[in-house]
Amino acid sequence: MQYKPYEYQEYAARFIQTHESSAIFLDCGMGKSVITLTAIKYLIAKGKARRVLIIAPLRVAQTTWPDEIQKWDHLKGLTYSVAVGSAAQRKVALERRADITIINRENVEWLIAKSGKKWCYDTVVLDELSSFKSYQAKRFKYLLKVRPFISRIVGLTGTPASNGLMDLWAEFRVLDMGERLGRYITRYRESYFTPDKRNAQVVFSYKPLPGAEERIYEKIGDITISMKAKDYLKMPELIENNVYVKLDGKAGQLYEELKADMVLKYKGAEIDAVNAAVLSNKLLQMSNGAIYTEDGKVLPIHDKKLDALEDLYESANGKPVLVAYWFKHDLSRIKARFPFAREIKAAADIRDWNNGGITMGLIHPASAGHGLNLQQGGSTIIWFGLTWSLELYQQLNARLYRQGQKETVVIHHILAKGTMDERVLRAVGEKDKTQTALIDAVRAELGR
């Protein structure tokens, strides 16, 4: 296929070519892969890159990057090897002298510490950069060990600060070895944050100091570009709708009892929320309609959300709906009510969905991440159960709300009124404000 880049894609490719370290924050569907591959092809041709390593989520490593290399005419001549699967399969892939080696992020430690191969990659692409936001993760620590031997590094993401500005330190520590935000997380905290929630000497969270956001954005601005799809692409109309159900009667009483006492006796079982985190999880389960006992059994509480889902499905008048669930008991209860519903998991499911063969698709946010295109099969998302993760929330929505979607996208949230559901949706919204501020602050101005 002939590549006809948008102006922003040409700009982003040039940015990668002219910066030894770069953070590319692009919304889903804006072509991060082809932009990066175009830059890589140029760098290899100019002798500025020899061996390239792309680190990506597993499914993206297996399919998206190879598909992109094969798809575009101008990338012909690039050779690649996909190092996934068993250790033996990965070693065979590493033996190939390909221009590009693609590996899943879970095997970064293996590649650096256990594969037996000397480090030979002068250029590294991190797709998804936010996968390296935890400075305690092994993949972060091992990549830092070889970072001095990498001459060019590219970080790609649409969600750079999904849990707040604290995420940025580890991401940029990998990119620039601490040049902009410091070499140590403690110094970063002291410079830009102050303790927020704490118990005596134990600090549970931090909040930015006055003016900290602006100072952080200024620090990273020279190696960062960010663009929103709505500014550069013709995006479909988006409608968000909150559908409320009320936990009245017995369901409401059980919810309030667990919330107040952190212990609940129901149908011969005792449910004990040992701390606030467990309580939050249990209350979300109850909001959705069931709860797990200590031995893993499922106790049904109510069908309010199932009834609301049925109403929304019927109101779609035959148009396919994509239903996001969170707990396993959500999945089993939805399947029991709607036997025709089908999980979107394998390539065959994705193909059938995009061909219009599934009227109710069921998907878990953690399995609906980067590189999964579902916009051809429908335009309605129903959140049966929410997630605290802004990244997972945005990534799932972007499966339908992206370039190539020809219909108005409708996102329904089924919320139990007065429960943890409302707090989760509010928390996701607050995180998005921080992330939007970051992206706006370093947004690329084409032609500047």
Side-chain angles (χ1 to χ4, degrees):
M1 181 183 294
Q2 186 177 2
Y3 181 50
K4 298 180 180 179
Y6 291 95
E7 187 181 359
Y8 78 83
Q9 291 176 318
E10 293 179 329
Y11 178 89
R14 286 196 302 271
F15 195 88
I16 293 171
Q17 293 163 12
T18 56
H19 289 74
E20 293 182 350
S21 300
S22 58
I24 311 299
F25 300 161
L26 301 184
D27 272 354
C28 298
M30 294 186 74
K32 291 190 288 288
S33 300
V34 69
I35 288 169
T36 306
L37 289 167
T38 301
I40 288 172
K41 181 73 180 290
Y42 171 87
L43 291 168
I44 291 175
K46 294 295 183 181
K48 296 181 179 181
R50 297 184 306 277
R51 297 290 302 277
V52 180
L53 178 70
I54 296 176
I55 302 171
L58 177 59
R59 180 157 39 191
V60 178
Q62 287 176 314
T63 59
T64 302
W65 284 96
D67 288 351
E68 287 289 299
I69 295 172
Q70 296 173 38
K71 178 179 179 181
W72 302 107
D73 292 343
H74 74 294
L75 298 179
K76 285 182 179 178
L78 277 180
T79 59
Y80 69 91
S81 181
V82 182
V84 301
S86 67
Q89 291 171 321
R90 297 194 298 269
K91 285 185 176 180
V92 169
L94 295 183
E95 293 292 343
R96 302 191 188 108
R97 294 289 298 180
D99 297 322
I100 301 172
T101 300
I102 307 166
I103 195 167
N104 56 307
R105 57 197 179 191
E106 292 81 7
N107 280 316
V108 170
E109 177 188 358
W110 172 85
L111 174 66
I112 296 170
K114 302 175 183 177
S115 67
K117 302 293 181 183
K118 290 184 178 180
W119 186 261
C120 61
Y121 303 102
D122 56 274
T123 301
V124 172
V125 177
L126 305 178
D127 176 28
E128 213 4 85
L129 178 60
S130 59
S131 299
F132 290 83
K133 65 188 177 186
S134 172
Y135 60 90
Q136 296 175 320
K138 287 185 177 180
R139 69 182 68 153
F140 169 83
K141 294 177 180 178
Y142 276 92
L143 191 58
L144 273 191
K145 290 183 178 182
V146 296
R147 178 61 185 87
F149 309 109
I150 300 169
S151 58
R152 188 178 304 271
I153 188 165
V154 183
L156 307 174
T157 187
T159 52
S162 57
N163 291 310
L165 295 170
M166 197 66 76
D167 288 352
L168 295 177
W169 179 81
E171 295 171 9
F172 279 84
R173 179 69 174 85
V174 167
L175 290 181
D176 68 2
M177 294 187 283
E179 181 181 341
R180 286 161 184 82
L181 299 183
R183 291 175 53 84
Y184 304 102
I185 183 66
T186 50
R187 189 67 176 269
Y188 178 64
R189 287 199 197 110
E190 292 170 357
S191 299
Y192 300 104
F193 298 87
T194 186
D196 185 14
K197 297 177 182 178
R198 64 189 305 167
N199 182 7
Q201 299 301 314
V202 180
V203 179
F204 298 112
S205 64
Y206 293 84
K207 61 183 179 182
L209 289 165
E213 292 183 42
E214 291 76 12
R215 289 191 291 129
I216 292 171
Y217 303 154
E218 185 177 355
K219 285 279 188 180
I220 65 176
D222 64 317
I223 63 167
T224 306
I225 61 171
S226 64
M227 304 175 186
K228 287 182 172 293
K230 63 183 178 63
D231 295 333
Y232 300 97
L233 300 175
K234 186 177 180 181
M235 297 293 288
E237 184 181 357
L238 176 65
I239 298 173
E240 296 188 48
N241 177 45
N242 295 338
V243 178
Y244 290 96
V245 300
K246 186 176 181 181
L247 302 191
D248 49 12
K250 186 65 174 176
Q253 293 174 14
L254 292 171
Y255 183 94
E256 292 301 326
E257 183 179 338
L258 179 60
K259 179 181 175 182
D261 301 336
M262 299 181 71
V263 176
L264 178 68
K265 291 185 177 180
Y266 180 56
K267 291 188 176 181
E270 184 172 288
I271 298 158
D272 185 10
V274 295
N275 55 45
V278 174
L279 178 62
S280 169
N281 193 49
K282 296 290 187 184
L283 293 176
L284 281 175
Q285 292 177 37
M286 293 186 74
S287 298
N288 288 3
I291 195 168
Y292 289 112
T293 63
E294 300 308 306
D295 57 0
K297 293 181 180 179
V298 177
L299 296 179
I301 303 293
H302 65 84
D303 290 337
K304 303 286 187 179
K305 286 198 174 185
L306 290 171
D307 295 340
L309 177 58
E310 185 169 349
D311 291 341
L312 289 171
Y313 177 73
E314 290 179 357
S315 67
N317 291 318
K319 292 181 65 176
V321 298
L322 189 64
V323 180
Y325 68 92
W326 189 249
F327 300 105
K328 288 183 178 179
H329 62 60
D330 295 341
L331 177 63
S332 59
R333 292 168 57 243
I334 292 171
K335 281 184 162 182
R337 173 72 74 94
F338 308 95
F340 56 85
R342 181 168 154 188
E343 291 181 73
I344 308 294
K345 297 191 297 184
D349 304 320
I350 297 169
R351 182 178 60 249
D352 290 348
W353 166 267
N354 280 327
N355 289 336
I358 301 175
T359 57
M360 181 183 286
L362 308 179
I363 195 162
H364 193 281
S367 67
H370 319 282
L372 191 60
N373 297 322
L374 301 175
Q375 72 271 20
Q376 295 176 19
S379 59
T380 301
I381 298 174
I382 302 174
W383 282 89
F384 185 88
L386 286 164
T387 169
W388 288 100
S389 170
L390 172 64
E391 181 176 357
L392 294 182
Y393 176 78
Q394 290 184 332
Q395 287 290 340
L396 190 140
N397 290 339
R399 297 314 101 209
L400 301 189
Y401 183 65
R402 63 194 296 122
Q403 186 183 14
Q405 174 62 257
K406 294 179 171 55
E407 304 286 337
T408 297
V409 174
V410 181
I411 300 176
H412 298 289
H413 309 106
I414 304 178
L415 308 170
K417 196 168 184 62
T419 70
M420 288 294 295
D421 279 350
E422 293 180 306
R423 290 192 62 182
V424 174
L425 188 60
R426 188 164 59 248
V428 169
E430 289 300 318
K431 289 177 184 177
D432 192 30
K433 287 180 182 178
T434 299
Q435 182 161 285
T436 299
L438 166 64
I439 291 175
D440 287 345
V442 294
R443 181 173 297 176
E445 297 179 22
L446 298 186
R448 191 173 68 176

PDB file of all heavy atoms in Angstrom, residues 324-350:
ATOM      1  N   ALA A 324     -17.821  -3.884  28.031  1.00  0.00           N
ATOM      2  CA  ALA A 324     -16.608  -3.994  28.841  1.00  0.00           C
ATOM      3  C   ALA A 324     -16.983  -4.471  30.237  1.00  0.00           C
ATOM      4  O   ALA A 324     -17.823  -3.865  30.900  1.00  0.00           O
ATOM      5  CB  ALA A 324     -15.894  -2.651  28.913  1.00  0.00           C
ATOM      6  N   TYR A 325     -16.365  -5.559  30.671  1.00  0.00           N
ATOM      7  CA  TYR A 325     -16.606  -6.083  32.016  1.00  0.00           C
ATOM      8  C   TYR A 325     -15.295  -6.069  32.786  1.00  0.00           C
ATOM      9  O   TYR A 325     -14.215  -5.955  32.191  1.00  0.00           O
ATOM     10  CB  TYR A 325     -17.180  -7.506  31.950  1.00  0.00           C
ATOM     11  CG  TYR A 325     -16.203  -8.527  31.432  1.00  0.00           C
ATOM     12  CD1 TYR A 325     -15.379  -9.247  32.306  1.00  0.00           C
ATOM     13  CD2 TYR A 325     -16.064  -8.769  30.057  1.00  0.00           C
ATOM     14  CE1 TYR A 325     -14.460 -10.164  31.834  1.00  0.00           C
ATOM     15  CE2 TYR A 325     -15.145  -9.684  29.582  1.00  0.00           C
ATOM     16  CZ  TYR A 325     -14.345 -10.386  30.469  1.00  0.00           C
ATOM     17  OH  TYR A 325     -13.419 -11.283  30.016  1.00  0.00           O
ATOM     18  N   TRP A 326     -15.360  -6.217  34.106  1.00  0.00           N
ATOM     19  CA  TRP A 326     -14.130  -6.200  34.910  1.00  0.00           C
ATOM     20  C   TRP A 326     -13.906  -7.489  35.675  1.00  0.00           C
ATOM     21  O   TRP A 326     -12.827  -8.058  35.666  1.00  0.00           O
ATOM     22  CB  TRP A 326     -14.143  -5.011  35.862  1.00  0.00           C
ATOM     23  CG  TRP A 326     -12.825  -4.825  36.558  1.00  0.00           C
ATOM     24  CD1 TRP A 326     -12.542  -5.018  37.878  1.00  0.00           C
ATOM     25  CD2 TRP A 326     -11.588  -4.438  35.945  1.00  0.00           C
ATOM     26  NE1 TRP A 326     -11.212  -4.778  38.134  1.00  0.00           N
ATOM     27  CE2 TRP A 326     -10.599  -4.410  36.957  1.00  0.00           C
ATOM     28  CE3 TRP A 326     -11.225  -4.109  34.641  1.00  0.00           C
ATOM     29  CZ2 TRP A 326      -9.275  -4.072  36.707  1.00  0.00           C
ATOM     30  CZ3 TRP A 326      -9.900  -3.770  34.389  1.00  0.00           C
ATOM     31  CH2 TRP A 326      -8.943  -3.755  35.413  1.00  0.00           C
ATOM     32  N   PHE A 327     -14.939  -7.989  36.369  1.00  0.00           N
ATOM     33  CA  PHE A 327     -14.785  -9.210  37.171  1.00  0.00           C
ATOM     34  C   PHE A 327     -15.226 -10.430  36.368  1.00  0.00           C
ATOM     35  O   PHE A 327     -16.073 -10.345  35.479  1.00  0.00           O
ATOM     36  CB  PHE A 327     -15.603  -9.106  38.458  1.00  0.00           C
ATOM     37  CG  PHE A 327     -15.206  -7.960  39.339  1.00  0.00           C
ATOM     38  CD1 PHE A 327     -16.008  -6.828  39.419  1.00  0.00           C
ATOM     39  CD2 PHE A 327     -14.027  -7.998  40.066  1.00  0.00           C
ATOM     40  CE1 PHE A 327     -15.643  -5.760  40.228  1.00  0.00           C
ATOM     41  CE2 PHE A 327     -13.653  -6.926  40.866  1.00  0.00           C
ATOM     42  CZ  PHE A 327     -14.466  -5.808  40.945  1.00  0.00           C
ATOM     43  N   LYS A 328     -14.647 -11.586  36.712  1.00  0.00           N
ATOM     44  CA  LYS A 328     -15.024 -12.812  36.015  1.00  0.00           C
ATOM     45  C   LYS A 328     -16.499 -13.133  36.216  1.00  0.00           C
ATOM     46  O   LYS A 328     -17.152 -13.671  35.321  1.00  0.00           O
ATOM     47  CB  LYS A 328     -14.163 -13.983  36.507  1.00  0.00           C
ATOM     48  CG  LYS A 328     -12.724 -13.922  36.017  1.00  0.00           C
ATOM     49  CD  LYS A 328     -11.940 -15.143  36.472  1.00  0.00           C
ATOM     50  CE  LYS A 328     -10.508 -15.104  35.940  1.00  0.00           C
ATOM     51  NZ  LYS A 328      -9.711 -16.268  36.389  1.00  0.00           N
ATOM     52  N   HIS A 329     -17.034 -12.793  37.402  1.00  0.00           N
ATOM     53  CA  HIS A 329     -18.456 -13.080  37.592  1.00  0.00           C
ATOM     54  C   HIS A 329     -19.335 -12.155  36.753  1.00  0.00           C
ATOM     55  O   HIS A 329     -20.475 -12.504  36.439  1.00  0.00           O
ATOM     56  CB  HIS A 329     -18.854 -13.068  39.071  1.00  0.00           C
ATOM     57  CG  HIS A 329     -18.676 -11.761  39.787  1.00  0.00           C
ATOM     58  ND1 HIS A 329     -19.305 -10.598  39.425  1.00  0.00           N
ATOM     59  CD2 HIS A 329     -17.952 -11.445  40.899  1.00  0.00           C
ATOM     60  CE1 HIS A 329     -18.996  -9.625  40.254  1.00  0.00           C
ATOM     61  NE2 HIS A 329     -18.160 -10.109  41.158  1.00  0.00           N
ATOM     62  N   ASP A 330     -18.812 -10.986  36.378  1.00  0.00           N
ATOM     63  CA  ASP A 330     -19.539 -10.157  35.412  1.00  0.00           C
ATOM     64  C   ASP A 330     -19.726 -10.938  34.112  1.00  0.00           C
ATOM     65  O   ASP A 330     -20.820 -10.994  33.544  1.00  0.00           O
ATOM     66  CB  ASP A 330     -18.772  -8.873  35.093  1.00  0.00           C
ATOM     67  CG  ASP A 330     -18.626  -7.943  36.283  1.00  0.00           C
ATOM     68  OD1 ASP A 330     -19.389  -8.088  37.242  1.00  0.00           O
ATOM     69  OD2 ASP A 330     -17.744  -7.069  36.233  1.00  0.00           O
ATOM     70  N   LEU A 331     -18.631 -11.526  33.647  1.00  0.00           N
ATOM     71  CA  LEU A 331     -18.644 -12.256  32.380  1.00  0.00           C
ATOM     72  C   LEU A 331     -19.627 -13.423  32.429  1.00  0.00           C
ATOM     73  O   LEU A 331     -20.448 -13.590  31.506  1.00  0.00           O
ATOM     74  CB  LEU A 331     -17.237 -12.767  32.069  1.00  0.00           C
ATOM     75  CG  LEU A 331     -17.083 -13.621  30.807  1.00  0.00           C
ATOM     76  CD1 LEU A 331     -17.435 -12.812  29.563  1.00  0.00           C
ATOM     77  CD2 LEU A 331     -15.665 -14.178  30.704  1.00  0.00           C
ATOM     78  N   SER A 332     -19.542 -14.215  33.476  1.00  0.00           N
ATOM     79  CA  SER A 332     -20.417 -15.392  33.544  1.00  0.00           C
ATOM     80  C   SER A 332     -21.890 -14.996  33.656  1.00  0.00           C
ATOM     81  O   SER A 332     -22.762 -15.637  33.051  1.00  0.00           O
ATOM     82  CB  SER A 332     -20.007 -16.279  34.728  1.00  0.00           C
ATOM     83  OG  SER A 332     -20.090 -15.565  35.955  1.00  0.00           O
ATOM     84  N   ARG A 333     -22.184 -13.939  34.387  1.00  0.00           N
ATOM     85  CA  ARG A 333     -23.576 -13.520  34.545  1.00  0.00           C
ATOM     86  C   ARG A 333     -24.118 -12.898  33.252  1.00  0.00           C
ATOM     87  O   ARG A 333     -25.276 -13.098  32.890  1.00  0.00           O
ATOM     88  CB  ARG A 333     -23.700 -12.546  35.711  1.00  0.00           C
ATOM     89  CG  ARG A 333     -23.446 -13.219  37.068  1.00  0.00           C
ATOM     90  CD  ARG A 333     -23.277 -12.248  38.208  1.00  0.00           C
ATOM     91  NE  ARG A 333     -24.423 -11.389  38.339  1.00  0.00           N
ATOM     92  CZ  ARG A 333     -24.399 -10.062  38.179  1.00  0.00           C
ATOM     93  NH1 ARG A 333     -23.252  -9.458  37.860  1.00  0.00           N
ATOM     94  NH2 ARG A 333     -25.488  -9.363  38.326  1.00  0.00           N
ATOM     95  N   ILE A 334     -23.278 -12.146  32.552  1.00  0.00           N
ATOM     96  CA  ILE A 334     -23.709 -11.581  31.269  1.00  0.00           C
ATOM     97  C   ILE A 334     -23.979 -12.704  30.272  1.00  0.00           C
ATOM     98  O   ILE A 334     -24.979 -12.697  29.541  1.00  0.00           O
ATOM     99  CB  ILE A 334     -22.638 -10.613  30.724  1.00  0.00           C
ATOM    100  CG1 ILE A 334     -22.535  -9.371  31.606  1.00  0.00           C
ATOM    101  CG2 ILE A 334     -22.987 -10.192  29.287  1.00  0.00           C
ATOM    102  CD1 ILE A 334     -21.358  -8.471  31.268  1.00  0.00           C
ATOM    103  N   LYS A 335     -23.109 -13.698  30.234  1.00  0.00           N
ATOM    104  CA  LYS A 335     -23.297 -14.822  29.317  1.00  0.00           C
ATOM    105  C   LYS A 335     -24.570 -15.603  29.648  1.00  0.00           C
ATOM    106  O   LYS A 335     -25.251 -16.109  28.744  1.00  0.00           O
ATOM    107  CB  LYS A 335     -22.082 -15.756  29.375  1.00  0.00           C
ATOM    108  CG  LYS A 335     -20.883 -15.274  28.582  1.00  0.00           C
ATOM    109  CD  LYS A 335     -19.789 -16.325  28.652  1.00  0.00           C
ATOM    110  CE  LYS A 335     -18.762 -16.122  27.570  1.00  0.00           C
ATOM    111  NZ  LYS A 335     -17.720 -17.167  27.616  1.00  0.00           N
ATOM    112  N   ALA A 336     -24.868 -15.738  30.936  1.00  0.00           N
ATOM    113  CA  ALA A 336     -26.082 -16.461  31.324  1.00  0.00           C
ATOM    114  C   ALA A 336     -27.331 -15.718  30.865  1.00  0.00           C
ATOM    115  O   ALA A 336     -28.314 -16.339  30.434  1.00  0.00           O
ATOM    116  CB  ALA A 336     -26.100 -16.661  32.836  1.00  0.00           C
ATOM    117  N   ARG A 337     -27.301 -14.384  30.929  1.00  0.00           N
ATOM    118  CA  ARG A 337     -28.461 -13.582  30.502  1.00  0.00           C
ATOM    119  C   ARG A 337     -28.530 -13.490  28.979  1.00  0.00           C
ATOM    120  O   ARG A 337     -29.608 -13.473  28.403  1.00  0.00           O
ATOM    121  CB  ARG A 337     -28.372 -12.187  31.117  1.00  0.00           C
ATOM    122  CG  ARG A 337     -29.433 -11.193  30.633  1.00  0.00           C
ATOM    123  CD  ARG A 337     -30.825 -11.508  31.176  1.00  0.00           C
ATOM    124  NE  ARG A 337     -30.948 -11.161  32.579  1.00  0.00           N
ATOM    125  CZ  ARG A 337     -31.423  -9.993  33.037  1.00  0.00           C
ATOM    126  NH1 ARG A 337     -31.821  -9.061  32.167  1.00  0.00           N
ATOM    127  NH2 ARG A 337     -31.507  -9.777  34.323  1.00  0.00           N
ATOM    128  N   PHE A 338     -27.355 -13.408  28.342  1.00  0.00           N
ATOM    129  CA  PHE A 338     -27.295 -13.236  26.883  1.00  0.00           C
ATOM    130  C   PHE A 338     -26.446 -14.367  26.285  1.00  0.00           C
ATOM    131  O   PHE A 338     -25.247 -14.173  26.028  1.00  0.00           O
ATOM    132  CB  PHE A 338     -26.683 -11.878  26.523  1.00  0.00           C
ATOM    133  CG  PHE A 338     -27.333 -10.712  27.216  1.00  0.00           C
ATOM    134  CD1 PHE A 338     -26.807 -10.199  28.403  1.00  0.00           C
ATOM    135  CD2 PHE A 338     -28.478 -10.114  26.695  1.00  0.00           C
ATOM    136  CE1 PHE A 338     -27.396  -9.120  29.042  1.00  0.00           C
ATOM    137  CE2 PHE A 338     -29.077  -9.035  27.330  1.00  0.00           C
ATOM    138  CZ  PHE A 338     -28.539  -8.536  28.506  1.00  0.00           C
ATOM    139  N   PRO A 339     -27.029 -15.539  26.062  1.00  0.00           N
ATOM    140  CA  PRO A 339     -26.252 -16.701  25.589  1.00  0.00           C
ATOM    141  C   PRO A 339     -25.571 -16.466  24.244  1.00  0.00           C
ATOM    142  O   PRO A 339     -24.578 -17.129  23.932  1.00  0.00           O
ATOM    143  CB  PRO A 339     -27.312 -17.807  25.474  1.00  0.00           C
ATOM    144  CG  PRO A 339     -28.430 -17.374  26.369  1.00  0.00           C
ATOM    145  CD  PRO A 339     -28.450 -15.881  26.300  1.00  0.00           C
ATOM    146  N   PHE A 340     -26.061 -15.528  23.464  1.00  0.00           N
ATOM    147  CA  PHE A 340     -25.482 -15.256  22.147  1.00  0.00           C
ATOM    148  C   PHE A 340     -24.251 -14.358  22.232  1.00  0.00           C
ATOM    149  O   PHE A 340     -23.535 -14.185  21.240  1.00  0.00           O
ATOM    150  CB  PHE A 340     -26.528 -14.589  21.247  1.00  0.00           C
ATOM    151  CG  PHE A 340     -27.113 -13.329  21.827  1.00  0.00           C
ATOM    152  CD1 PHE A 340     -26.486 -12.102  21.662  1.00  0.00           C
ATOM    153  CD2 PHE A 340     -28.285 -13.377  22.584  1.00  0.00           C
ATOM    154  CE1 PHE A 340     -27.005 -10.948  22.207  1.00  0.00           C
ATOM    155  CE2 PHE A 340     -28.818 -12.220  23.136  1.00  0.00           C
ATOM    156  CZ  PHE A 340     -28.181 -11.008  22.959  1.00  0.00           C
ATOM    157  N   ALA A 341     -24.019 -13.751  23.397  1.00  0.00           N
ATOM    158  CA  ALA A 341     -22.867 -12.857  23.546  1.00  0.00           C
ATOM    159  C   ALA A 341     -21.568 -13.647  23.375  1.00  0.00           C
ATOM    160  O   ALA A 341     -21.480 -14.815  23.745  1.00  0.00           O
ATOM    161  CB  ALA A 341     -22.893 -12.178  24.904  1.00  0.00           C
ATOM    162  N   ARG A 342     -20.552 -12.993  22.827  1.00  0.00           N
ATOM    163  CA  ARG A 342     -19.300 -13.696  22.526  1.00  0.00           C
ATOM    164  C   ARG A 342     -18.101 -12.873  22.961  1.00  0.00           C
ATOM    165  O   ARG A 342     -18.046 -11.653  22.739  1.00  0.00           O
ATOM    166  CB  ARG A 342     -19.236 -13.963  21.022  1.00  0.00           C
ATOM    167  CG  ARG A 342     -17.990 -14.710  20.556  1.00  0.00           C
ATOM    168  CD  ARG A 342     -18.189 -15.162  19.139  1.00  0.00           C
ATOM    169  NE  ARG A 342     -16.932 -15.328  18.430  1.00  0.00           N
ATOM    170  CZ  ARG A 342     -16.842 -15.564  17.129  1.00  0.00           C
ATOM    171  NH1 ARG A 342     -17.930 -15.663  16.405  1.00  0.00           N
ATOM    172  NH2 ARG A 342     -15.654 -15.705  16.560  1.00  0.00           N
ATOM    173  N   GLU A 343     -17.165 -13.547  23.598  1.00  0.00           N
ATOM    174  CA  GLU A 343     -15.941 -12.881  24.030  1.00  0.00           C
ATOM    175  C   GLU A 343     -15.070 -12.531  22.822  1.00  0.00           C
ATOM    176  O   GLU A 343     -14.970 -13.293  21.870  1.00  0.00           O
ATOM    177  CB  GLU A 343     -15.147 -13.779  24.966  1.00  0.00           C
ATOM    178  CG  GLU A 343     -15.789 -13.999  26.317  1.00  0.00           C
ATOM    179  CD  GLU A 343     -14.937 -14.882  27.192  1.00  0.00           C
ATOM    180  OE1 GLU A 343     -13.889 -14.410  27.675  1.00  0.00           O
ATOM    181  OE2 GLU A 343     -15.307 -16.053  27.374  1.00  0.00           O
ATOM    182  N   ILE A 344     -14.443 -11.360  22.890  1.00  0.00           N
ATOM    183  CA  ILE A 344     -13.495 -10.945  21.860  1.00  0.00           C
ATOM    184  C   ILE A 344     -12.103 -11.233  22.405  1.00  0.00           C
ATOM    185  O   ILE A 344     -11.558 -10.472  23.206  1.00  0.00           O
ATOM    186  CB  ILE A 344     -13.637  -9.443  21.524  1.00  0.00           C
ATOM    187  CG1 ILE A 344     -15.092  -9.099  21.194  1.00  0.00           C
ATOM    188  CG2 ILE A 344     -12.713  -9.054  20.381  1.00  0.00           C
ATOM    189  CD1 ILE A 344     -15.631  -9.738  19.948  1.00  0.00           C
ATOM    190  N   LYS A 345     -11.523 -12.364  21.969  1.00  0.00           N
ATOM    191  CA  LYS A 345     -10.222 -12.770  22.495  1.00  0.00           C
ATOM    192  C   LYS A 345      -9.221 -13.096  21.394  1.00  0.00           C
ATOM    193  O   LYS A 345      -8.134 -12.548  21.352  1.00  0.00           O
ATOM    194  CB  LYS A 345     -10.372 -13.991  23.423  1.00  0.00           C
ATOM    195  CG  LYS A 345     -11.203 -13.758  24.659  1.00  0.00           C
ATOM    196  CD  LYS A 345     -11.077 -14.918  25.634  1.00  0.00           C
ATOM    197  CE  LYS A 345     -11.605 -16.210  25.027  1.00  0.00           C
ATOM    198  NZ  LYS A 345     -11.567 -17.331  26.004  1.00  0.00           N
ATOM    199  N   ALA A 346      -9.605 -13.995  20.513  1.00  0.00           N
ATOM    200  CA  ALA A 346      -8.683 -14.482  19.495  1.00  0.00           C
ATOM    201  C   ALA A 346      -8.851 -13.718  18.184  1.00  0.00           C
ATOM    202  O   ALA A 346      -9.788 -12.932  18.019  1.00  0.00           O
ATOM    203  CB  ALA A 346      -8.911 -15.980  19.266  1.00  0.00           C
ATOM    204  N   ALA A 347      -7.935 -13.981  17.248  1.00  0.00           N
ATOM    205  CA  ALA A 347      -7.984 -13.312  15.947  1.00  0.00           C
ATOM    206  C   ALA A 347      -9.293 -13.583  15.224  1.00  0.00           C
ATOM    207  O   ALA A 347      -9.839 -12.708  14.540  1.00  0.00           O
ATOM    208  CB  ALA A 347      -6.798 -13.776  15.097  1.00  0.00           C
ATOM    209  N   ALA A 348      -9.828 -14.806  15.383  1.00  0.00           N
ATOM    210  CA  ALA A 348     -11.100 -15.146  14.731  1.00  0.00           C
ATOM    211  C   ALA A 348     -12.242 -14.299  15.283  1.00  0.00           C
ATOM    212  O   ALA A 348     -13.148 -13.897  14.531  1.00  0.00           O
ATOM    213  CB  ALA A 348     -11.403 -16.631  14.922  1.00  0.00           C
ATOM    214  N   ASP A 349     -12.211 -14.026  16.590  1.00  0.00           N
ATOM    215  CA  ASP A 349     -13.249 -13.190  17.198  1.00  0.00           C
ATOM    216  C   ASP A 349     -13.179 -11.770  16.652  1.00  0.00           C
ATOM    217  O   ASP A 349     -14.210 -11.158  16.348  1.00  0.00           O
ATOM    218  CB  ASP A 349     -13.084 -13.155  18.729  1.00  0.00           C
ATOM    219  CG  ASP A 349     -13.079 -14.542  19.347  1.00  0.00           C
ATOM    220  OD1 ASP A 349     -13.876 -15.380  18.897  1.00  0.00           O
ATOM    221  OD2 ASP A 349     -12.271 -14.778  20.258  1.00  0.00           O
ATOM    222  N   ILE A 350     -11.961 -11.251  16.539  1.00  0.00           N
ATOM    223  CA  ILE A 350     -11.769  -9.892  16.018  1.00  0.00           C
ATOM    224  C   ILE A 350     -12.274  -9.807  14.579  1.00  0.00           C
ATOM    225  O   ILE A 350     -12.963  -8.855  14.198  1.00  0.00           O
ATOM    226  CB  ILE A 350     -10.283  -9.491  16.106  1.00  0.00           C
ATOM    227  CG1 ILE A 350      -9.832  -9.450  17.566  1.00  0.00           C
ATOM    228  CG2 ILE A 350     -10.041  -8.148  15.437  1.00  0.00           C
ATOM    229  CD1 ILE A 350      -8.336  -9.321  17.744  1.00  0.00           C
TER     230      ILE A 350
END
